[in-house]
Amino acid sequence: MEVNSAEFIASFPKESQCPTDGKPEFAFIGRSNVGKSSLINMLTRKGLAKVSGTPGKTQLLNFFLINKNWYLVDLPGYGYARVSKARQKTLASMINGYLYHRKALAMAFVLIDSNIPPTRIDLEFINNLGQQAIPFTLVFTKADRIGKMTLEKNVNLFLGELSKTWVQLPPYFITSSERKTGKEEVLNHIGQIIGK
Ligand code: GTP
Ligand code: MG
């Protein structure tokens, strides 16, 4: 699938205020600084999502309309330590309120930093999604920053951890926003789901 148009629609503080036109939604989430904004820009166009050196920028549910027929939803990062406990709670209920209740959610893309071994926080987040029967796909990010061997090792360690709990493993992609690796694969995956 090609992206012909990508426009920012609006940011919402909670699920109940999000658009109700029923267009399928593809949500992107991951730990803060995992490369979410960079990935969204790589998939769509430069400058659509704000990339920054300061973690924790996205604090709302941000809706982008792609090709006038599906929404890309940029969710706040989870597990960002440098915000207050109260704020963390608000963000968690914003994220879970969206993921657990959203009827239009076609797929959640969970971004995982391919440069590091599996983290408890990512595994916990994914296990919760699985328990709630929310469809998700893994996207390993920043693949350009490490060697092939370490990359494979980290990916396999992650899948190995998941297979301790789940019989069926989710689809996954390996990406680099820097080198535009995985762009076609992720977009085609979305295209297949929406039937375009
Ligand atoms: P927050 O919204 O702040 O939580 O972060 P984010 O997950 O949106 O990450 P962002 O895209 O802002 O990227 C964080 C940092 O990682 C930036 O310095 C990016 O330039 C860098 N980065 C992101 N993707 C890649 C990648 O594929 N390769 C490399 N080398 N660096 C990347
Ligand atoms: Mg971001």
Side-chain angles (χ1 to χ4, degrees):
M1 180 182 54
E2 279 194 30
V3 169
N4 301 311
S5 67
E7 52 183 314
F8 173 67
I9 300 296
S11 302
F12 306 95
K14 49 160 59 137
E15 188 271 332
S16 58
Q17 294 172 4
C18 294
T20 52
D21 58 13
K23 289 189 174 73
E25 292 171 16
F26 294 83
F28 287 74
I29 183 139
R31 271 187 315 117
S32 186
N33 216 39
V34 69
K36 192 161 49 77
S37 301
S38 305
L39 183 85
I40 290 170
N41 291 341
M42 186 265 267
L43 295 174
T44 58
R45 66 175 157 80
K46 234 186 188 163
L48 190 66
K50 286 191 188 71
V51 177
S52 80
T54 337
K57 272 267 161 186
T58 312
Q59 304 225 332
L60 291 164
L61 311 165
N62 298 304
F63 273 62
F64 301 92
L65 182 61
I66 314 297
N67 293 349
K68 309 228 185 280
N69 70 351
W70 59 274
Y71 288 114
L72 187 161
V73 185
D74 183 9
L75 300 179
Y78 53 78
Y80 180 52
R82 260 181 280 170
V83 295
S84 69
K85 277 258 165 10
R87 183 73 196 144
Q88 262 189 35
K89 244 180 140 172
T90 313
L91 286 175
S93 61
M94 192 191 289
I95 296 167
N96 295 339
Y98 172 85
L99 290 173
Y100 296 179
H101 302 292
R102 194 70 182 158
K103 294 219 165 54
L105 180 66
M107 181 62 73
F109 286 94
V110 184
L111 277 59
I112 308 289
D113 189 339
S114 71
N115 292 200
I116 53 171
T119 63
R120 194 174 51 84
I121 183 159
D122 284 335
L123 291 166
E124 264 177 27
F125 183 80
I126 286 169
N127 283 330
N128 287 337
L129 284 185
Q131 268 157 21
Q132 300 285 329
I134 294 158
F136 66 92
T137 294
L138 301 179
V139 178
F140 293 95
T141 62
K142 307 187 187 183
D144 61 285
R145 290 221 300 209
I146 41 161
K148 201 165 171 269
M149 296 271 279
T150 321
L151 176 70
E152 271 175 22
K153 193 175 123 206
N154 287 341
V155 169
N156 287 332
L157 277 174
F158 202 93
L159 298 175
E161 285 295 329
L162 289 186
S163 60
K164 286 181 187 168
T165 323
W166 305 99
V167 177
Q168 206 183 348
L169 289 176
Y172 70 92
F173 297 100
I174 293 170
T175 66
S176 158
S177 300
E178 198 74 17
R179 296 203 187 140
K180 295 200 180 259
T181 314
K183 177 175 178 173
E184 264 190 53
E185 289 85 349
V186 173
L187 287 176
N188 288 343
H189 185 57
I190 295 174
Q192 265 169 15
I193 295 166
I194 58 174
K196 292 258 165 185

